[in-house]
Amino acid sequence: MGLNERQNITDGRMLPARHANAAKVRLLVVFLGLVASIASGSQVGATTFHSQTSLVQRRIATVDNPNDYITSGFNGVARLAGQESNRHSCAGSLLKTGLHLLTAGHCVFEFKPQDFVLDFGEIQLSAAQFFIHPEYEHSIAANDIAIIELTTKAPQQLTRYEIYRDNNEIGKVFNLVGYGAFGTGDRGAGLSPADFDYQKRLGQNTYDASGELLNGLIPDFPILPGTLAYDFDNGLPENDAFGIVFGSQYANLGLGLEEVNSALGDSGSPNFIDGLIAGITSYGFGANYSDRLLSTDLTPTRTDSSFGEFSVDTRVSFYARWIDSVLQNNNSVSIPEPRPLTGLAIVSAGFLLKRNKYRHD
C-alpha cells in the first residue's frame, strides 16, 4: 500500500507556504490506482517550504524502521496483479462468502476477469466475473465500487470480512491496508516502478467528513453522496487541510506518527473500522487555494499524497444493500464490454494523463 506517514521533523516546525499569485483555485487531483508503468516523479525545483527532515523512508515514515509497518495480518486483502506484467494495480478484500472481493469500480472498469491474478501472498486465485455498480461514472469516480467473483471459493485460511453498516464513520479512526507506492508525508510518494515493492502495510487515519463537503474545490468535478473524506495531517495547523479550508469545526491535527495516507496503487484497498470494511480507497487531491491565499499541501504544485492533501473513499455503508444483492445473486448488474487492452500499462498511462486533475488511488 502507498502509505505515507509523518516524517520526523527535527527542527520541530515548518514555515508557511509561499502564497501563489494566481487568481483562481489551482487543483491537482489524481486517481490512485492501476499503476503499471509510470514516469518518475521529480521534486519541485523551488520548494515553498523550508524545514529539516530525516532521510526519506519507505511508505510509512517514522523515526523507527518503516519495515516494522509491514503486516502479515489482514490476509484476506489481495493485490490485483496483472496477468501479463504482474505490475501492481489495485487491491480488494475478501467478503464473507469467500467467493467475492470488494474493490473500487475503476479498478476493473474496461478490464476482463482474465486480466488479473488475485494475489494473497502464498495463495493466488482467479476472477470469474465483475459486478460494477450500475451507476458508476468513470469520469468523476461516482459510485466507485465493484465486486469481483472468484472462479472458486477461497481457502479457509484466508480471512473473510464483514462490511460496516452504520453511518457513524465520521470521527472514527480506521486502519488502511494496501500495497501502493511508498513515500513520506513531507516529500510525497514516488511515481516510478521502483517506488512499488508490493509489500502489504498498515496504518491509521480518521474520517473527517462526508465527501460532499469537498464539493466546489475541484471545478466541474461533483462529489456525490456515498463518500468519506480525510486529510493527511502532520500535527501542524498550517497543513491541516480540513481545518484551514472549512474552519475550526473541522480542525484536527491528526494522529501524529500513526497517521498515514493512501497513494498511487492503493485503489480498492479496504479501510477497516472495528475490523469491518468501512471505506474503499478511491482518489485524492492536493490543492493550492490561491484565491484565498491559502495552501495546505506541503507540495502544492503536484498531487503525491503528501501532507495537506485530501483523500476520498467510497462509503461502504451507503452501498450495503447493493453489496448484499450481489452476494445473494439478486442483482441485475450489467458489466460494460471492455475495450481491447494490451495490459495494465495502457490504462495506467491514461490515469497519469489526469494527474493535473486528481489522483486515483
Side-chain angles (χ1 to χ4, degrees):
M1 149 180 101
L3 298 178
N4 293 330
E5 191 173 313
R6 179 179 178 180
Q7 189 72 294
N8 181 30
I9 301 173
T10 55
D11 67 356
R13 66 186 180 89
M14 285 187 179
L15 299 178
R18 177 183 59 206
H19 291 160
N21 294 322
K24 64 179 182 178
V25 176
R26 294 172 53 222
L27 289 158
L28 301 170
V29 194
V30 175
F31 283 96
L32 298 179
L34 300 173
V35 177
S37 177
I38 53 182
S40 175
S42 61
Q43 298 292 322
V44 177
T47 180
T48 59
F49 287 82
H50 304 280
S51 65
Q52 289 182 325
T53 60
S54 62
L55 294 176
V56 174
Q57 298 170 308
R58 292 188 160 208
R59 286 197 188 155
I60 298 181
T62 68
V63 295
D64 301 314
N65 187 346
N67 288 335
D68 291 343
Y69 289 81
I70 296 175
T71 180
S72 59
F74 296 95
N75 72 349
V77 179
R79 181 170 68 92
L80 276 61
Q83 286 274 20
E84 293 184 11
S85 66
N86 196 36
R87 292 289 181 87
H88 182 83
S89 52
C90 288
S93 44
L94 191 62
L95 293 171
K96 62 182 180 180
T97 61
L99 191 62
H100 302 89
L101 282 85
L102 194 62
T103 189
H106 74 266
C107 285
V108 296
F109 181 73
E110 295 187 335
F111 281 95
K112 297 177 289 185
Q114 57 266 36
D115 290 330
F116 294 106
V117 172
L118 291 309
D119 186 358
F120 293 88
E122 295 182 357
I123 297 173
Q124 288 81 41
L125 300 175
S126 300
Q129 60 179 325
F130 302 144
F131 299 95
I132 300 174
H133 194 278
E135 296 181 21
Y136 171 67
E137 294 183 49
H138 192 62
S139 62
I140 58 172
N143 304 297
D144 190 18
I145 187 170
I147 291 174
I148 301 171
E149 183 175 309
L150 300 172
T151 56
T152 184
K153 188 170 287 190
Q156 286 300 320
Q157 62 261 42
L158 295 180
T159 305
R160 278 81 161 142
Y161 304 108
E162 297 277 355
I163 62 172
Y164 198 87
R165 296 179 180 273
D166 294 328
N167 61 353
N168 60 354
E169 303 96 335
I170 296 169
K172 289 187 178 293
V173 174
F174 60 86
N175 289 310
L176 199 166
V177 182
Y179 299 87
F182 53 75
T184 62
D186 60 340
R187 297 172 186 259
L191 299 177
S192 72
D195 295 309
F196 295 83
D197 62 4
Y198 310 139
Q199 295 289 334
K200 179 171 54 179
R201 285 178 168 85
L202 167 68
Q204 293 183 327
N205 207 310
T206 305
Y207 284 125
D208 292 295
S210 298
E212 306 97 281
L213 181 67
L214 305 179
N215 267 309
L217 296 185
I218 311 175
D220 303 316
F221 190 92
I223 300 176
L224 304 181
T227 55
L228 293 164
Y230 61 97
D231 60 11
F232 191 15
D233 295 299
N234 60 1
L236 300 173
E238 56 264 36
N239 301 120
D240 175 16
F242 271 98
I244 291 291
V245 177
F246 298 105
S248 59
Q249 178 183 354
Y250 294 93
N252 188 318
L253 297 185
L255 301 174
L257 294 178
E258 297 300 318
E259 186 142 305
V260 302
N261 193 16
S262 58
L264 286 165
D266 280 327
S267 283
S269 296
N271 290 338
F272 293 95
I273 296 177
D274 298 330
L276 307 173
I277 307 171
I280 302 170
T281 300
S282 184
Y283 66 92
F285 60 95
N288 182 3
Y289 304 96
S290 53
D291 62 337
R292 308 184 206 180
L293 297 180
L294 299 175
S295 177
T296 61
D297 190 345
L298 197 61
T299 58
T301 62
R302 66 187 187 276
T303 291
D304 54 8
S305 302
S306 57
F307 292 134
E309 294 189 10
F310 291 106
S311 289
V312 178
D313 287 354
T314 300
R315 190 174 197 163
V316 172
S317 64
F318 187 86
Y319 297 97
R321 291 182 62 184
W322 178 79
I323 294 170
D324 290 342
S325 73
V326 174
L327 301 193
Q328 295 165 5
N329 293 319
N330 295 325
N331 64 84
S332 58
V333 181
S334 61
I335 304 174
E337 182 66 24
R339 291 197 289 266
L341 297 172
T342 59
L344 293 176
I346 294 179
V347 172
S348 300
F351 282 128
L352 286 174
L353 293 176
K354 299 180 180 180
R355 282 190 58 222
N356 64 340
K357 190 176 182 184
Y358 60 103
R359 74 170 194 272
H360 216 327
D361 289 347

